[in-house]
Amino acid sequence: MSLKKSAKIRVICVICVLFWHSPYAQLDTTKVYEINEITITFTQQREIIPAQRLSGEELHRLSSHSVADAIRYFSGIQIKDFGGIGGLKTVDIRSMGTNHVGVFYDGIQLGNAQNGQIDLGKFSLDNIEEIALYNGQKSEIFQPAKDFGSAGAIYLQTRRPTFEEAQKFNIRALFRTGSFGLANPSILWEQKITKSLSSSFNAEYIYATGKYKFRYRRVLPDGMVAYDTTAVRQNGDIQAVRLEGGLFGHTQKINWNAKVYFYNSERGIPGAIINNVWKHSQRQWDRNFFTQASLTTPIHRRYELLARFKYANDYMRYLNSDTTLMYIDNNFTQQEIYTCFANKVKVFKSWDISLATDFQWNMLQANLRNFAQPQRYTTLVALATAFDIWRIKTQASILSTFIHDKVAKPTSSHSNNHEFTPAVIFSCKPLKKEEFYINAFYKRAFRMPTFNDLYYTDIGNAALQPEYVTQYNLGLQYAKSLKKGILENLTLKTDAYYNEVTNKIIAIPKGSGQFRWMMMNIGFVKIRGIDAMAQLNWKFPYDIRLQTHINYTYQKAQDFSDPTDNDAVAGTYRGQIAYIPWHNGSFTLQFSYKTYNLNYCFIYVGERYHNSANIRANHEQPWYTHDLSLGKTFCFKKWNFKVSAEINNIFNQQYEVVLNYPMPGTNFRVILKFEI
């Protein structure tokens, strides 16, 4: 049965049911009656390898303040967290490096041509409806060429306004307070302008002192305790404002949206705790602005068009006023223009072809001495095809990337690169009546050196080559809905993978001192791993529901850069690369009873090393945290109120995600939520 016929049958069934149960069923059929408007939504699932997802109430029940906190619960993820609310938070998927992760906001990639890293701590969960993690790439051919370019991707989908019958607006207000001197109010206003046009406005303010106690303890290789004391984390304060507005429109043939985003913050940089230095004076100012728009329309029953546009302007100032080290007052301004046109043609019922063309311009200006003021022109062309035959689905794509760098200083080198990167995705459902799938993919990706890698004064190396990633993945997935018993449904998923990273870009000392560095291509990493996930939903009598979710990752990520560096004492050859644990995982339990909900979260990160030299001096102990939250919802007429309390790191474990950056111990939050 075709999708078109299936959709028609569903519509007829819904109308029949509504009519049967309506008061009009007994009325005079010779007369004409007017009934209220009925909206029917039909969504076609095109992805052949599902993503890891957190959405809706499940997402907002987690003990999470930002996007970075939430994605800790995915498998195959490593978070670099430099501590506190205002600390830098970046993500690494399957140990391939932060710069190989694409972060997409409402379908358009967030950019940082300066250093390639997206600070996920800047993005609040207040306006996020869903977070999805894809290994390789999204298995959907009707998408921009950019979406084919990353070795792994995180998609952040913001809330789109929906309205009940006769409702003209939605209002949601939140206030959070708790440890670290936190004060975090936010408001969301959604307005229905016409039947086909709505708007959304979201504002948020964050203030926190960032102060928390931590234990400063080091044990020497011989087992002796070098020092053991308690101190208070300093210079971790933050003040930030986020404003976000959007327009959403649709007709019978066109679906479009436009968005404006503004973020402004001042924060302290707490720095590393080394040699009994407890306080640092570095500060950072960020101002991020972007506006973007997206339009999708079926031109013909066999042809669809997707168009997107974005302009971004980012400013960052870094100040180190400590003259005993080095006085630094640097500022950087980035600009970006991005356009995309994607086309999809349905050749036959089971065969689609797409062609996407993207163009992106990036520019970086800085007050550094002899700075190159680089500009980068990037053109991407992606050709993809998808087949759906019997119970086998396949997709294949090839991305062609053309990059040209232009610099202001005549002594700087111009960089030109042209790369082809293919991908093949396969999914098979061997049993007709069971939701059991065998998935596999192969993908090759690359990333250009960032502006800092190439052009940063006295550090950059204009001769750097791109960094390449090759990925192989084989996975199994099984889902089952049960009609009897207390277990409603379950989902099991596991993936085995092998990745190679070549031409890895690293920083090495320049000359005889440790104060001057330069960027070099010398790295080669092999990564073998297994990701496993299990989700079970339970339904008990008396309106009691329980959801359990387990994630586990095993990784062996070895440094094969230099075969001669195999010294037994400090050699790095075949060593586990820095900060990658062999074992890590998470467990979440979400319990609800009528208007109450209770949530428990456990995160475990196993032993690891902070250097590829896997010696005792570089060893980092495992760490784990327990988080608990309790919420209650109250209803009064059209108003909904919710009060919830969270306690995180219940057992006050002292740990570090990054060496010498202590994380908070036990902390709490209280959240008040109001909706109409």
Side-chain angles (χ1 to χ4, degrees), residues 64 72 85 88 161 187 261 265 354 383 390 473 498 511 544 564 566 649 663 669 675:
S64 303
R72 297 179 303 168
I85 291 180
L88 176 68
I187 187 167
Y261 181 97
S265 71
S354 75
L383 179 63
W390 190 54
N473 187 97
Y498 171 73
I544 297 174
T564 64
N566 56 7
N649 196 355
M663 297 293 291
R669 280 193 303 169
E675 284 185 303

Side-chain angles (χ1 to χ4, degrees), residues 376 405 412-413 415 448-466 505-508 510 517-522:
R376 175 167 290 174
D405 283 2
S412 300
S413 300
S415 178
M448 275 293 291
T450 65
F451 284 159
N452 279 0
D453 294 338
L454 292 167
Y455 307 118
Y456 200 94
T457 306
D458 293 332
I459 295 177
N461 177 5
L464 281 176
Q465 297 299 309
I505 300 171
I506 64 173
I508 64 169
K510 181 180 180 181
W517 295 73
M518 70 179 298
M519 312 306 296
M520 294 289 290
N521 290 108
I522 64 170

Side-chain angles (χ1 to χ4, degrees), residues 96 100 134-138 143 145-153 382 397-399 420-425 440-446 468-473 498-500:
M96 292 177 291
H100 286 285
Y134 292 86
N135 294 302
Q137 66 189 38
K138 185 193 292 186
Q143 60 187 8
K146 268 274 188 182
D147 295 47
F148 295 91
S150 301
S397 64
I398 185 164
L399 174 65
F420 290 98
T421 48
V424 179
I425 304 172
F441 73 80
Y442 158 80
K443 181 177 174 63
R444 184 164 171 81
F446 87 105
Y468 297 91
V469 166
T470 304
Q471 300 171 266
Y472 303 89
N473 187 97
Y498 171 73
N499 303 331
E500 288 185 352

Side-chain angles (χ1 to χ4, degrees), residues 215-251:
R215 186 178 180 183
Y216 185 50
R217 184 174 186 267
R218 282 291 177 269
V219 179
L220 299 176
D222 60 3
M224 296 291 292
V225 177
Y227 39 78
D228 190 351
T229 187
T230 300
V232 175
R233 198 73 161 121
Q234 302 288 339
N235 201 43
D237 61 297
I238 182 173
Q239 288 194 71
V241 174
R242 179 180 59 84
L243 304 174
E244 190 170 348
L247 285 174
F248 305 85
H250 64 89
T251 64

Side-chain angles (χ1 to χ4, degrees), residues 350-394:
S350 57
W351 181 23
D352 294 343
I353 295 177
S354 75
L355 177 67
T357 303
D358 297 6
F359 173 78
Q360 182 172 306
W361 170 77
N362 294 94
M363 180 272 290
L364 177 64
Q365 294 177 321
N367 65 346
L368 298 174
R369 176 179 54 86
N370 295 325
F371 189 61
Q373 313 290 346
Q375 299 181 59
R376 175 167 290 174
Y377 301 85
T378 305
T379 302
L380 304 102
V381 180
L383 179 63
T385 185
F387 295 91
D388 186 352
I389 302 173
W390 190 54
R391 293 192 298 275
I392 297 175
K393 299 180 180 181
T394 60

